Amino acid sequence: MSHDPKAPCDKALHYAELVNDPRVEKARALLLEALESHRSKITAVRPPNPDLVAVYQAELDRLAKARGGATYFPYISSGLGNGPLIELGDGSVKLDFIVGIGVHGMGHSNPKMLSATIDAALEDTVMQGNLQHDSASLWMCEKLIGLAGLQGAQLDHCLLSTSGAMANENSLKIAFHNRAPAQRVICIDNCFAGRSIALASLTDRPAYRTGVPKALDVDYLPMYHPSDPQGTTQGAIRTLKHLLERYPGQHACLWLELVAGEGGYYPGTKEYFETLCQMCHDHNVLVIFDEVQTFSRLSRPFAFQHFGLDRFADIVTLGKITQVCATLYGQVLKPKGPLLSQTFTAATAAIRAGLSVLDHLDQSNCFGDDGWNMQRHRYFRAKLEGLATKYPDKLSGPYGEGMMIAFTPGDGSSATASAMLGKLYELGLMGFVAGSNPTRLRFLPPPGVTTNAHIDMACQIIEQALQSL
Ligand SMILES: Cc1ncc(COP(=O)(O)O)c(C=O)c1O
């Protein structure tokens, strides 16, 4: 399937003449050449430039005032990076192993993404929507449907949207619509689904819905825990059985993250998920997999493929790394009536950039049991295990799966995690917190471009931070 912007255009179209105009190719070549010569200077972390510190701080203060609060990190990008390295407005360079919580799948200032957004800039439509698609929307939908069906999942349709929360809203709408009048949702303890009012009811963080009315009836199952595989799996089965008996016919769906993301990088197991999904299917309860954080980070494009759960994938949501979010669902669930529509599905630049990420991941050998994602995971894991042995009181773990990896600093308190995160940032490594009791530090290295040398760089900084705490 071609994503070449020139491919679908009938040569008779004026638009085809525009994108094939030799001046456009010349401009593209010049922009790519300029990008290369400047981004290639960014090769290692470095501290702020003292001459820029005051002006940068003033900008951060203005940002905090405008948005009603300081940003988590004192981070304003300069606009240029190189792979996982990003230059900030104070002249510092950070090794960005969190990439906006999983967004920069090909790292920063990637030439393929620049080229894709040049195509988007030539396109009249800035934001695509239900009344204004261009071919890129078609390519993206077909690409995602194709990837989702690689191991047999029946996901025939794809609805694009601007956020993971909106993709999840659409998934729940499809589930409720198809299982009406069932109104309850089943989730797992510790889950995170997004920030809309409905999703705040679902997300297992009471602090995220303070003062917000409850929008959904949600029941929670115990999370799988590797310290007690049998006990936690049996506990979840018992709870699910009890819920299905207590509320017969009232659950529309089981909504699952296969690796709890915000919850602390807890993957379940095939057996755990398979049992719960089968019980739900046996009771006519649909299964939704939220892949907003997991997509393209494990051994297969989708985590449900990694865990071999394809036959349960009724509805799937994804986002972040794809630059545009999406809800995939089977033909049998197609809503009857005008349930799903959006003025804006995504920016043209986002869709085209997302396609370039997907092409790159395909071409880079990221997937497979011994693909890059799993190789990098094993390498990072071994290095963190080495640090855990060397500093047993200061680091435990690692945890996670594929290119989602975490460790617990010290006593697991949120204060220790924040202190460690701050120290890492100061030394040049960006990660983020996840979960509570214990609070972990997590990393989402960009799958398409992270090398073992970047992981070495990260582990050196982690060790420096451990020594100083
Ligand atoms: C698993 C999961 N679902 C949904 C979301 C919400 O996505 P967004 O912030 O794009 O609305 C997130 C965001 O972190 C997520 O990790």
Side-chain angles (χ1 to χ4, degrees):
M1 182 194 330
S2 173
H3 304 132
D4 181 346
K6 296 162 220 158
C9 294
D10 189 313
K11 293 282 184 226
L13 295 177
H14 293 308
Y15 176 71
E17 288 168 9
L18 168 65
V19 294
N20 289 298
D21 188 311
R23 288 171 294 182
V24 168
E25 276 320 300
K26 203 165 149 193
R28 183 195 309 274
L30 282 173
L31 283 168
L32 288 170
E33 196 183 305
L35 177 72
E36 198 48 48
S37 55
H38 295 287
R39 79 172 191 137
S40 59
K41 293 180 213 153
I42 299 175
T43 53
V45 300
R46 68 167 185 242
N49 175 342
D51 295 341
L52 296 176
V53 167
V55 92
Y56 185 66
Q57 187 56 51
E59 207 180 355
L60 284 167
D61 293 344
R62 277 168 51 210
L63 180 62
K65 187 163 176 249
R67 68 189 286 278
T71 48
Y72 191 93
F73 290 117
Y75 175 106
I76 300 179
S77 151
S78 76
L80 188 68
N82 188 8
L85 294 164
I86 180 70
E87 179 187 63
L88 303 189
D90 62 1
S92 65
V93 171
K94 306 288 181 197
L95 178 61
D96 187 2
F97 265 22
I98 194 64
V99 290
I101 315 197
V103 177
H104 293 266
M106 291 205 286
H108 296 278
S109 299
N110 188 283
K112 291 179 184 169
M113 286 181 94
L114 172 62
S115 185
T117 53
I118 292 170
D119 296 328
L122 289 172
E123 149 84 50
D124 151 69
T125 306
V126 175
M127 294 295 289
Q128 314 237 352
N130 282 331
L131 287 195
Q132 44 179 21
H133 292 118
D134 82 352
S135 308
S137 287
L138 164 67
W139 299 333
M140 178 54 90
C141 290
E142 284 185 347
K143 177 80 186 170
L144 292 175
I145 291 166
L147 288 173
L150 282 175
Q151 296 178 175
Q154 272 301 310
L155 294 158
D156 311 287
H157 302 304
C158 172
L159 191 76
L160 301 180
S161 57
T162 46
S163 70
M166 201 60 221
N168 275 333
E169 285 277 338
N170 287 330
S171 76
L172 292 172
K173 257 195 199 174
I174 295 169
F176 286 129
H177 175 83
N178 277 281
R179 291 295 180 267
Q183 297 215 334
R184 304 187 77 85
V185 181
I186 305 166
C187 297
I188 308 277
D189 286 343
N190 216 15
C191 65
F192 178 86
R195 299 282 190 161
S196 69
I197 293 181
L199 299 174
S201 295
L202 201 151
T203 292
D204 193 16
R205 294 271 182 107
Y208 289 4
R209 51 177 175 264
T210 313
V212 174
K214 185 175 144 202
L216 290 176
D217 286 321
V218 182
D219 299 307
Y220 295 92
L221 307 178
M223 192 173 68
Y224 174 86
H225 205 289
S227 64
D228 183 12
Q230 280 304 317
T232 46
T233 303
Q234 289 309 316
I237 293 169
R238 260 197 318 276
T239 310
L240 179 58
K241 192 165 175 296
H242 168 74
L243 288 168
L244 293 168
E245 281 167 10
R246 181 171 189 170
Y247 301 109
Q250 291 184 48
H251 291 104
C253 57
L254 167 69
W255 178 97
L256 285 176
E257 281 173 279
L258 298 172
V259 181
E262 304 304 296
Y265 285 25
Y266 293 89
T269 60
K270 181 178 167 72
E271 188 210 351
Y272 172 86
F273 291 127
E274 214 166 38
T275 315
L276 301 180
C277 291
Q278 189 61 59
M279 283 172 75
C280 282
H281 271 191
D282 291 346
H283 287 80
N284 206 27
V285 175
L286 294 165
V287 174
I288 303 176
F289 294 129
D290 176 327
E291 301 252 8
V292 172
Q293 193 160 151
T294 46
F295 179 77
S296 77
R297 293 194 164 271
L298 308 191
S299 72
R300 306 287 185 278
F302 288 88
F304 73 76
Q305 297 167 332
H306 172 90
F307 288 103
L309 302 167
D310 303 69
R311 69 182 189 282
F312 299 111
D314 297 314
I315 310 173
V316 176
T317 60
L318 59 103
K320 292 187 185 282
I321 212 165
T322 39
Q323 310 301 301
V324 45
C325 302
T327 309
L328 300 165
Y329 59 99
Q331 163 70 20
V332 286
L333 298 180
K334 190 172 154 46
K336 295 159 196 69
L339 212 67
L340 308 168
S341 181
Q342 256 128 70
T343 306
F344 290 162
T345 50
T348 305
I351 300 173
R352 288 182 184 254
L355 281 165
S356 74
V357 175
L358 293 175
D359 284 347
H360 176 78
L361 294 177
D362 272 353
Q363 289 153 14
S364 331
N365 222 355
C366 267
F367 303 119
D369 295 338
D370 199 33
W372 278 12
N373 284 352
M374 301 315 278
Q375 281 183 31
R376 303 281 181 269
H377 176 86
R378 288 193 287 272
Y379 189 77
F380 205 170
R381 174 172 280 274
K383 296 222 93 167
L384 288 173
E385 277 165 359
L387 290 174
T389 309
K390 197 162 167 191
Y391 303 94
D393 300 334
K394 294 186 171 182
L395 187 151
S396 48
Y399 312 97
E401 195 88 19
M403 295 300 267
M404 298 175 73
I405 196 153
F407 66 83
T408 305
D411 59 5
S413 67
S414 69
T416 305
S418 299
M420 175 88 181
L421 193 61
K423 191 71 198 169
L424 291 177
Y425 187 83
E426 189 190 314
L427 294 170
L429 175 64
M430 292 184 69
F432 202 47
V433 287
S436 53
N437 293 324
T439 305
R440 292 176 171 172
L441 292 192
R442 62 171 144 160
F443 301 102
L444 286 165
V449 294
T450 300
T451 62
N452 288 351
H454 293 128
I455 295 171
D456 289 343
M457 216 187 274
C459 289
Q460 270 163 22
I461 296 174
I462 294 169
E463 179 155 20
Q464 251 179 295
L466 291 171
Q467 283 166 350
S468 71
L469 283 176

